[in-house]
Amino acid sequence: MKDLISLHDLTADEVKGLLELGIKLKAEQKSGKEHHILKGKTLGMIFTKSSTRTRVSFEVGMTQLGGYPLFLSSNDIQLGRGETIYDTAKVLERMLDGIMIRTYAHQDVIDLAEYADIPVINALTDLLHPCQVLADLMTAYEHKGKLEGLKLAYIGDGNNMAHSLMYGCAKAGLDCAIAAPDNYQCDAQVIANAKEDFKKSGRELILTNDPVEAIKNADIVYTDTWVSMGQEKEKAERQKVFMPYQVNGGLFAHADSEAVFMHCLPAYRGYEVTEEIIDGPHSVIFDEAENRLHAQKAVMATLMG
Ligand code: CP
Ligand code: NVA
């Protein structure tokens, strides 16, 4: 493992190893154990999109491992003014020990990883969000005591979260059901890749436009914003199309009675999820947010340690 670009690139054992290390690092942090795994190392953090959780969790995680996080907003670096990915990679690899990048085009992250001789971590593209899913799987494990054999239902846009959740479920041995409106289904290539992964795991992948079918007996109910970063102009249209996909009390009643509710955040109450659900007893959203820190420490320790 040189980079973390997509969970599809990892073996099931590599995903499980990262989750186990995340759980261990979390316990050690709670017990006050100090780490120097990344002492003297610097992580460059390139952001061309906004972030709360990702920025804070990578900065704090790097600090807790004894390293130094360097925030690089695209407003400030030359990449934002048209310097190439190639030149950026070649310069940064001379000074940094790893790069984390959040951006629009997934291909830019693939290119950066190819050109840079240091680890590159995908911190969200239009296509994928693997770090979030590592934190989500860790959270599901903490609440359910296992992952193998659980069913995760994702209701909403066939977006970066849906894609990474499919990959993550396949690698960790969960069944996965995605319900999205007809014109907002998941990317065809991601579906083809995920089907290969599910074949290997022997678990089930359900792709439907029916939220009730997807959520039936689910152990984990997941949703995400209907309007991802970069889609702001489509907001009015999307809010109309997606309303039947809102996770509310009526829909949630079809899930397992002990199901947990998850959301990567930021959330828009009254749209993709009602207050009753996101602020209710089944919600584990802030555990997911905290686990970004622990899961990404595992990623950084593995790639840069
Ligand atoms: N879930 C997530 O990635 O949040 P941020 O956009 O705040 O980083
Ligand atoms: N799908 C959302 C996830 C935000 C963490 C987006 O890309 O904006």
Side-chain angles (χ1 to χ4, degrees):
M1 232 179 115
K2 177 198 164 265
D3 309 296
L4 176 60
I5 308 296
S6 164
L7 296 178
H8 177 62
D9 302 336
L10 272 52
T11 65
D13 283 343
E14 284 171 331
V15 171
K16 286 171 194 160
L18 288 171
L19 297 175
E20 279 165 18
L21 183 57
I23 289 166
K24 177 168 172 271
L25 289 170
K26 180 174 182 176
E28 288 177 351
Q29 192 236 324
K30 303 277 180 203
S31 73
K33 182 171 177 187
E34 279 187 31
H35 283 291
H36 308 282
I37 302 169
L38 298 182
K39 187 166 189 280
K41 306 228 167 161
T42 304
L43 176 75
M45 302 169 38
I46 301 175
F47 282 91
T48 76
K49 286 175 172 171
S50 304
S51 168
T52 298
R53 280 143 289 268
T54 303
R55 177 177 175 181
V56 174
S57 55
F58 269 103
E59 285 205 20
V60 172
M62 196 62 192
T63 307
Q64 287 183 359
L65 293 174
Y68 180 75
L70 184 63
F71 178 68
L72 303 168
S73 159
S74 61
N75 295 328
D76 303 326
I77 62 172
Q78 300 288 7
L79 187 67
R81 296 183 54 250
E83 186 167 18
T84 63
I85 296 273
Y86 180 81
D87 288 356
T88 304
K90 287 307 181 198
V91 170
L92 293 182
E93 75 179 18
R94 300 286 181 109
M95 300 179 214
L96 298 174
D97 303 287
I99 303 171
M100 182 238 82
I101 178 165
R102 163 169 288 197
T103 194
Y104 293 87
H106 188 70
Q107 190 60 43
D108 285 352
V109 178
I110 294 174
D111 291 346
L112 185 68
E114 191 194 324
Y115 301 144
D117 285 334
I118 53 175
V120 171
I121 300 168
N122 176 3
L124 181 147
T125 63
D126 289 343
L127 196 71
L128 297 174
H129 197 2
C131 291
Q132 177 68 49
V133 170
L134 289 174
D136 297 335
L137 290 171
M138 196 175 144
T139 309
Y141 181 80
E142 288 174 340
H143 283 273
K144 295 286 172 191
K146 63 171 189 177
L147 290 175
E148 200 89 25
L150 295 178
K151 176 184 178 184
L152 181 145
Y154 173 94
I155 314 292
D157 191 12
N159 63 11
N160 45 10
M161 279 313 314
H163 295 156
S164 282
L165 284 166
M166 279 199 280
Y167 286 157
C169 285
K171 299 287 174 178
L174 290 80
D175 293 330
C176 180
I178 309 269
D182 285 337
N183 294 327
Y184 298 87
Q185 298 272 335
C186 292
D187 177 81
Q189 184 59 56
V190 173
I191 291 174
N193 295 344
K195 281 185 174 166
E196 271 174 37
D197 291 346
F198 277 99
K199 215 165 165 187
K200 280 185 208 150
S201 72
R203 306 307 319 184
E204 195 181 5
L205 174 64
I206 299 166
L207 300 168
T208 176
N209 59 9
D210 178 358
V212 176
E213 181 194 346
I215 205 169
K216 231 178 183 143
N217 301 322
D219 302 289
I220 303 158
V221 177
Y222 205 114
T223 191
D224 182 20
T225 180
W226 297 335
V227 187
S228 284
M229 290 179 274
Q231 298 172 335
E232 290 74 11
K233 283 194 187 123
E234 301 169 34
K235 189 171 173 179
E237 170 68 12
R238 283 174 165 271
Q239 285 177 347
K240 240 191 307 167
V241 174
F242 281 97
M243 218 15 131
Y245 292 79
Q246 182 185 67
V247 177
N248 52 35
L251 184 61
F252 202 85
H254 296 277
D256 183 80
S257 59
E258 288 176 20
V260 291
F261 171 77
M262 289 196 177
H263 192 308
C264 57
L265 306 179
Y268 300 90
R269 287 167 173 77
Y271 293 95
E272 73 269 15
V273 60
T274 55
E275 266 176 44
E276 171 198 12
I277 296 298
I278 195 169
D279 301 318
H282 295 271
S283 179
V284 296
I285 54 170
F286 299 120
D287 292 335
E288 291 175 81
E290 176 188 338
N291 284 338
R292 294 293 303 278
L293 169 66
H294 309 296
Q296 286 156 201
K297 281 169 74 177
V299 171
M300 292 188 287
T302 301
L303 297 180
M304 298 166 64

